[in-house]
Amino acid sequence: MTNQERIGVALFGAGRIGKIHAGNLARHPHTRLRYVVDVQQPSAEALAVQHGATVAGIDEALADAGVAAVVIGSSTDTHADLIMRAAAAGKAIFCEKPVDLDVARARSCAEAVRRAGVTCMIGFQRRFDPTFAALKQRLDAGEIGTPELLIVTSRDPAPPPASYIAHSGGVFKDMLIHDFDIFRWILGGEAVSVHATGGCPNMPEVAAAGDISHAAVTLRTRDGALCQINTSRRAAYGYDQRFEVLGSRGLLQAGNVRPTEVIAWNGDAISSDKPEAFFLERYRAAYALEIEHFFDALVNGTPVRTTIEDGIKALELAELATRSWREGKAIDCAV
């Protein structure tokens, strides 16, 4: 495939995740990054220069017939508008989670995508993590029988600024939306009940921003399988991302990723590296693999594995968890 034949891409967002996606687009054999769009002009210019792209506005990027796909890695409050505008322009869409903070608006995006008949993939990169994907493959092969209990640990190393938290949509939509997707993916069913609780132990700045720093969520499927998710916005030892599945015939565990797997043994202790520092390092391979999957699907005309409907389902669970926490009771789900 020549440079002219490659899929032209417009990237929206030149921040942390935009830089990751730009690098992966540059390395993909089927893509050519044509435009970088960001309200922060210096960031857009630096990223465009690095990857041989052009800085453009939204209208210019979407009007170019040479752009067949967009990658949306801008702030959450821009996602829905960009999805609808890209769909109207007939572009294939890859968008970071969430679709929007409002379920009704997210559903409007799904309807716009359906009417336009374009491909839309939501960036639930954890499904593409090699360790998590290997566990899922072995689970589907029946290695531990019928899954009965999923336990998910999801902890950030440190909280974001209070100014971010105040506009993030809350911990359930901001952080746990990924874990709600893991629940649906691993157990292969929908929730019939959600019970969430949480607080702000020793983190008054999070409470002052209107959110909680620690949460525990229990979900139950129609067939009785359970999922327990525990999360914290602070883990002094690093980015803690792991889960285990208890089945009728055994257990599968997916552990943390460390910078190296060297283990030191001496007379005082047995020690290893701490988990990776944050999500950009932890999911480096997953980000590359999800972009590869998206563009391979476009080239081959095959479905994407994480659809806008998956994005809506995870957002619905986040909203129910938020309601459960506020009302102090379990919420039955309409399924």
Side-chain angles (χ1 to χ4, degrees):
M1 181 176 283
T2 67
N3 198 46
Q4 287 74 26
E5 294 171 328
R6 291 181 179 183
I7 298 171
V9 183
L11 171 65
F12 294 90
R16 293 184 304 182
I17 195 63
K19 292 175 182 175
I20 293 291
H21 288 321
N24 289 328
L25 289 167
R27 288 184 286 272
H28 196 283
H30 295 151
T31 65
R32 178 190 172 200
L33 180 58
R34 296 178 66 94
Y35 297 109
V36 176
V37 184
D38 196 294
V39 294
Q40 300 296 328
Q41 192 77 2
S43 298
E45 290 175 351
L47 195 58
V49 168
Q50 182 181 356
H51 295 291
T54 301
V55 174
I58 297 173
D59 292 338
E60 180 184 356
L62 293 179
D64 189 339
V67 170
V70 301
V71 172
I72 302 171
S74 48
S75 60
T76 295
D77 59 355
T78 67
H79 289 184
D81 180 63
L82 289 171
I83 287 173
M84 289 191 275
R85 292 176 69 174
K91 313 299 186 185
I93 303 159
F94 175 95
C95 183
E96 281 296 325
K97 65 81 190 172
V99 177
D100 193 73
L101 293 178
D102 179 74
V103 171
R105 188 161 167 79
R107 289 175 181 153
S108 296
C109 290
E111 177 59 22
V113 166
R114 187 196 64 77
R115 286 197 310 268
V118 297
T119 296
C120 183
M121 177 173 166
I122 302 302
F124 287 126
Q125 86 282 352
R126 295 183 190 184
R127 294 199 192 197
F128 296 87
D129 174 74
T131 296
F132 292 174
L135 183 150
K136 173 64 171 172
Q137 185 177 31
R138 292 170 67 167
L139 180 67
D140 289 348
E143 184 171 332
I144 61 168
T146 303
E148 300 169 344
L149 176 64
L150 169 64
I151 299 175
V152 181
T153 295
S154 183
R155 302 169 187 159
D156 279 1
S163 57
Y164 171 87
I165 291 174
H167 301 284
S168 68
V171 70
F172 299 109
K173 293 181 180 179
D174 181 40
M175 282 182 63
L176 269 73
I177 192 166
H178 280 291
D179 304 297
F180 293 133
D181 182 64
I182 289 289
F183 155 75
R184 296 184 61 246
W185 178 50
I186 292 296
L187 292 185
E190 303 297 345
V192 296
S193 69
V194 179
H195 189 193
T197 186
C200 287
N202 303 314
M203 300 184 73
E205 69 279 9
V206 176
D211 198 12
I212 53 177
S213 59
H214 297 67
V217 182
T218 300
L219 305 104
R220 180 172 57 85
T221 67
R222 184 178 296 279
D223 62 7
L226 295 174
C227 173
Q228 293 181 319
I229 303 170
N230 71 86
T231 194
S232 171
R233 286 196 179 274
R234 180 179 59 207
Y237 50 86
Y239 190 49
D240 194 357
Q241 297 284 301
R242 49 196 162 91
F243 64 82
E244 66 179 36
V245 190
L246 178 66
S248 56
R249 294 194 285 113
L251 174 77
L252 288 170
Q253 291 181 323
N256 282 312
V257 172
R258 298 177 176 85
T260 77
E261 293 303 318
V262 175
I263 300 176
W265 303 58
N266 58 41
D268 297 319
I270 299 172
S271 61
S272 63
D273 289 354
K274 294 186 297 183
E276 288 281 16
F278 207 22
F279 69 96
L280 296 176
E281 296 85 5
R282 169 63 179 82
Y283 291 112
R284 184 184 296 110
Y287 285 125
L289 288 168
E290 69 176 356
I291 286 292
E292 180 180 334
H293 167 73
F294 175 66
F295 285 101
D296 286 352
L298 295 186
V299 170
N300 297 319
T302 52
V304 293
R305 297 208 301 254
T306 53
T307 67
I308 195 167
E309 293 299 331
D310 290 317
I312 292 171
K313 290 287 188 181
L315 182 62
E316 287 172 341
L317 290 176
E319 193 157 279
L320 289 169
T322 303
R323 179 182 158 198
S324 173
W325 161 60
R326 287 175 175 163
E327 296 181 6
K329 64 180 183 181
I331 303 294
D332 290 333
C333 310
V335 293

